[in-house]
Amino acid sequence: MKQFDIIERTASKIKELKIQGAENIAKSALQRIQEFSEKLEVNDKYEFINKIEEAKKILAESRPTEPLMLNSLNFIITMLEKNPVNEIKELKHLVSLYSNEFLHNLESAKNKIAEVGSTLIKDEEIVFTHCHSSTVMGILKKAKENGKRFSVICTETRPLFQGRKTAKELSALGIPTTMIVDAASSYMIEKANIVIVGADAITPKGIINKVGTSLIALAAKKAWVPFYVACELYKFDPRSLDETYIIEERDRNEIWKTKRKMIEIRNPAFDLTENEYITGIISEEGIQHPQVLIHIIQSKYPWLFRR
Ligand code: RUB
């Protein structure tokens, strides 16, 4: 359907990882929803919200493990429903207003995380990270701006090599970087002083991030290296309250294009790192243990818990 073209194009880019990382995904989804709603020709508010719901479903299906995108779109829909305005022109204006409000909150959360997280990095230390997280990059950039002298070990992050993006950005910032294959994590973590990774989702059991994160957490615990997660509280996944969380399974071709008899290829993109492995979550509320954080999220963002 032509009307949804703009949404479908963005959904494809997200699926193909041309847009990557929870925050970048949510930002582009919000921008597209603004453009989409601007062009909508509908008769009433009910139809207007329904179209946005449909667009939300298309976007959400592109990366099923991305509660930040889902929460940002749910925020707009919830606010529209609450607002007594019925006039279509006004509603379009409200979509922009609420999107910008969400983006603004996201940006200030990220700045706060960079500020707080950078204090954890000490001179001459080695930071270990995995995949590419814009939130972790914010922390490392801030630490560098504050004059800290440190280096980073990053994984290449198979099968799609997001670690190369991390390594390139770090070297551009003048931060000495060592890139390793994911399987070398257990060996190399012993040389690190601190692990900082991003997250796609916060759940009551732990955080969900790029596949391999839970093995890194395990290795960190064994080596007595503190394991921190940097993420905004908007990444809480309300679906996880009933013990379900979704791990996206990606195309087998990302791993091995050749098909062989009797060989099944599985390609989960994320995994769950349980709370017991997490030293602290660095969020806009400071640094807390994940179990405490759930209560903070509940009181700060009660709408996230709406079922
Ligand atoms: C990216 C990834 C990132 C989180 C957090 O996975 O796991 O650590 O999304 O990113 P993918 P950010 O490459 O499959 O999207 O801190 O930028 O929100």
Side-chain angles (χ1 to χ4, degrees):
M1 226 168 108
K2 239 181 162 5
Q3 205 173 30
F4 289 95
D5 275 2
I6 176 174
I7 295 292
E8 265 153 13
R9 274 200 303 276
T10 301
S12 301
K13 280 190 193 156
I14 294 173
K15 200 175 177 65
E16 290 159 22
L17 261 75
K18 287 183 182 141
I19 303 163
Q20 169 277 340
E23 188 174 322
N24 291 333
I25 290 170
K27 278 182 177 166
S28 71
L30 281 175
Q31 276 153 8
R32 283 308 92 73
I33 283 288
Q34 283 187 58
E35 289 166 36
F36 169 77
S37 68
E38 203 46 59
K39 292 197 176 95
L40 269 181
E41 286 173 21
V42 288
N43 298 314
D44 55 31
K45 180 173 181 175
Y46 178 77
E47 204 186 334
F48 185 79
I49 293 181
N50 266 353
K51 293 281 179 202
I52 295 183
E53 274 281 358
E54 272 184 70
K56 177 188 95 179
K57 284 199 184 104
I58 297 170
L59 287 164
E61 274 165 20
S62 66
R63 299 290 314 262
T65 315
E66 290 300 353
L68 182 62
M69 164 162 63
L70 199 61
N71 290 341
S72 68
L73 300 173
N74 277 339
F75 172 75
I76 296 188
I77 293 168
T78 309
M79 297 302 275
L80 288 175
E81 281 170 350
K82 268 207 226 157
N83 198 308
V85 161
N86 282 316
E87 221 247 301
I88 304 299
K89 199 169 160 226
E90 280 288 299
L91 288 167
K92 291 181 176 182
H93 174 66
L94 284 176
V95 171
S96 291
L97 202 82
Y98 296 140
S99 299
N100 291 336
E101 183 182 332
F102 196 92
L103 288 169
H104 171 79
N105 292 346
L106 211 54
E107 203 53 39
S108 43
K110 200 167 180 180
N111 291 338
K112 184 80 199 292
I113 293 169
E115 203 68 63
V116 176
S118 64
T119 63
L120 292 171
I121 301 170
K122 308 279 178 287
D123 271 339
E124 313 306 334
E125 283 198 349
I126 300 176
V127 183
F128 190 105
T129 193
H130 183 49
C131 196
H132 179 275
S133 153
S134 60
T135 318
V136 174
M137 288 307 300
I139 291 177
L140 300 174
K141 188 165 178 250
K142 191 77 191 165
K144 173 79 183 170
E145 280 168 7
N146 290 346
K148 301 268 176 70
R149 295 181 309 278
F150 62 98
S151 59
V152 176
I153 298 175
C154 72
T155 59
E156 60 173 356
T157 317
R158 284 194 173 252
L160 294 179
F161 304 108
Q162 292 93 324
R164 292 180 185 172
K165 187 175 174 192
T166 303
K168 277 195 244 167
E169 287 181 17
L170 288 170
S171 64
L173 289 169
I175 300 171
T177 304
T178 304
M179 197 171 80
I180 57 169
V181 296
D182 301 2
S185 295
S186 173
Y187 171 70
M188 291 297 283
I189 215 149
E190 292 185 7
K191 308 187 185 334
N193 302 92
I194 181 170
V195 178
I196 312 180
V197 295
D200 290 274
I202 304 173
T203 81
K205 278 191 177 163
I207 63 100
I208 293 174
N209 192 47
K210 177 55 54 193
V211 70
T213 304
S214 66
L215 275 176
I216 292 170
L218 208 67
K221 190 165 184 148
K222 188 168 152 255
W224 295 89
V225 178
F227 181 95
Y228 288 92
V229 180
C231 70
E232 306 88 351
L233 301 186
Y234 279 140
K235 285 180 178 168
F236 176 72
D237 190 347
R239 297 168 298 190
S240 64
L241 283 171
D242 50 18
E243 306 263 312
T244 52
Y245 55 86
I246 301 161
I247 298 291
E248 176 191 354
E249 284 255 357
R250 296 185 60 83
D251 198 307
R252 52 155 289 144
N253 288 332
E254 288 178 355
I255 297 180
W256 199 4
K257 287 200 172 62
T258 316
K259 287 205 167 76
R260 307 236 175 229
K261 265 191 204 154
M262 303 299 288
I263 300 179
E264 187 196 0
I265 306 270
R266 296 279 308 266
N267 187 13
F270 300 100
D271 64 21
L272 174 84
T273 300
E274 285 161 339
N275 288 336
E276 61 180 291
Y277 297 97
I278 302 172
T279 311
I281 296 194
I282 313 160
S283 77
E284 62 270 35
E285 290 296 308
I287 303 173
Q288 275 95 14
H289 191 265
Q291 260 138 8
V292 179
L293 211 60
I294 294 293
H295 301 290
I296 298 177
I297 300 170
Q298 211 155 14
S299 67
K300 198 170 173 193
Y301 304 120
W303 58 272
L304 276 178
F305 288 74
R306 249 188 59 175
R307 312 308 305 279

